[in-house]
Amino acid sequence: MTDTVAERKMQFMYALRSKGITDTRVLTAMEKVDRGLFVKGLFADRAYEDTPLPIACGQTISQPSVVGLMTQALNVTSRDKVLEVGTGSGYQSAILSHLARRVYTVERHRRLVSGAQKVFEDLDLTNVTAFLSDGSFGWPEQAPFDRIIVTAAAEDAPGPLLAQLKVGGIMVLPVGQSDTVQSMIRVVRSESGFDYEELRPVRFVPLVEGLARDN
Ligand code: SAH
């Protein structure tokens, strides 16, 4: 017998807890945001599995437990202005919108930006703004940010993003030399510089320069 949607959602929350997401604010935000609304077509019935899934433009919606761990590491407060690089489906932004004061998210594929904007409207998430641009340059017009999260992997933390982080601010991002070996790191900006901490191995799609050619 197949599980009902309610049962699958319960298992989904259980999987998050068992993978180390303990922050109740993060768990509550993730319970509010239905991942089923961000996964379309063929893979829709796998939305409540703890696995990354394909979305449009050859990209992926991240694994829910990784979304949770990154969000937890970001330690977002309700006063924060957050920048996300790599909107993708909009799932991570929707979770952040429940935790932060304001969320700005940038994506290099136009089709993903409009798809995410549509879901934000349907969910009445009025504190999230999605924008088509190369996120490696951040969002200078809205900088500086209290928190920055990057959901695509670069070799290193991009300089413009470090520059757009407030003193006392936190950035969480995957970095790595290849598509297969990457680490999630946390960067905290202090008065005197940046402190780096390696959190765990991860696997993300690459951060690519420039707007996508399908725009
Ligand atoms: N946070 C997303 C995960 C998306 S996967 C979610 O919750 O669904 C990473 C995304 O980063 C992809 O959509 C990819 O197109 C985008 N991306 C890669 N390089 C980028 C860049 N330089 N600027 C903006 N977006 C970028």
Side-chain angles (χ1 to χ4, degrees):
M1 199 180 76
T2 52
D3 293 337
T4 63
V5 170
E7 281 164 343
R8 285 197 239 168
K9 285 185 179 172
M10 264 175 60
Q11 283 156 11
F12 177 83
M13 293 310 297
Y14 178 79
L16 295 178
R17 285 191 197 90
S18 69
K19 299 252 169 89
I21 296 133
T22 51
D23 183 327
T24 48
R25 291 187 67 234
V26 175
L27 286 167
T28 305
M30 292 188 77
E31 198 163 18
K32 280 186 194 147
V33 179
D34 184 350
R35 190 170 184 248
L37 302 174
F38 298 85
V39 184
K40 314 245 155 60
L42 267 184
F43 295 94
D45 68 335
R46 299 187 58 191
Y48 307 114
E49 291 177 25
D50 189 24
T51 180
L53 292 169
I55 55 172
C57 306
Q59 304 304 313
T60 54
I61 178 171
S62 312
Q63 185 176 351
S65 56
V66 172
V67 170
L69 290 168
M70 284 185 97
T71 309
Q72 187 164 275
L74 203 60
N75 196 18
V76 182
T77 79
S78 54
R79 297 181 302 278
D80 289 342
K81 180 161 78 168
V82 183
L83 173 69
E84 178 194 27
V85 175
T87 314
S89 67
Y91 179 61
Q92 171 77 73
S93 340
I95 292 165
L96 290 169
S97 85
H98 287 286
L99 296 165
R101 175 170 57 84
R102 199 78 186 72
V103 180
Y104 295 94
T105 178
V106 291
E107 167 59 55
R108 62 189 287 277
H109 286 277
R110 188 181 301 273
R111 188 170 153 206
L112 293 176
V113 173
S114 30
Q117 278 168 335
K118 166 103 184 43
V119 192
F120 301 154
E121 274 166 39
D122 291 348
L123 294 177
D124 207 19
L125 301 177
T126 52
N127 65 340
V128 195
T129 310
F131 197 65
L132 179 73
S133 89
D134 179 351
S136 14
F137 298 102
W139 195 330
E141 291 80 4
Q142 297 298 343
F145 299 97
D146 301 287
R147 301 287 185 266
I148 299 179
I149 180 169
V150 187
T151 64
E155 277 192 21
D156 248 317
L161 297 185
L162 290 171
Q164 289 173 30
L165 190 62
K166 278 188 197 169
V167 171
I170 302 174
M171 170 152 72
V172 175
L173 73 164
V175 291
Q177 302 284 335
S178 77
D179 285 358
T180 49
V181 187
Q182 302 164 358
S183 294
M184 188 206 294
I185 64 164
R186 174 164 50 195
V187 185
V188 180
R189 183 167 196 172
S190 67
E191 293 283 355
S192 54
F194 297 93
D195 298 319
Y196 290 78
E197 181 189 355
E198 201 169 318
L199 301 176
R200 65 196 305 275
V202 280
R203 198 166 167 177
F204 275 83
V205 297
L207 187 74
V208 181
E209 266 180 39
L211 292 186
R213 285 204 296 195
D214 54 7
N215 285 305

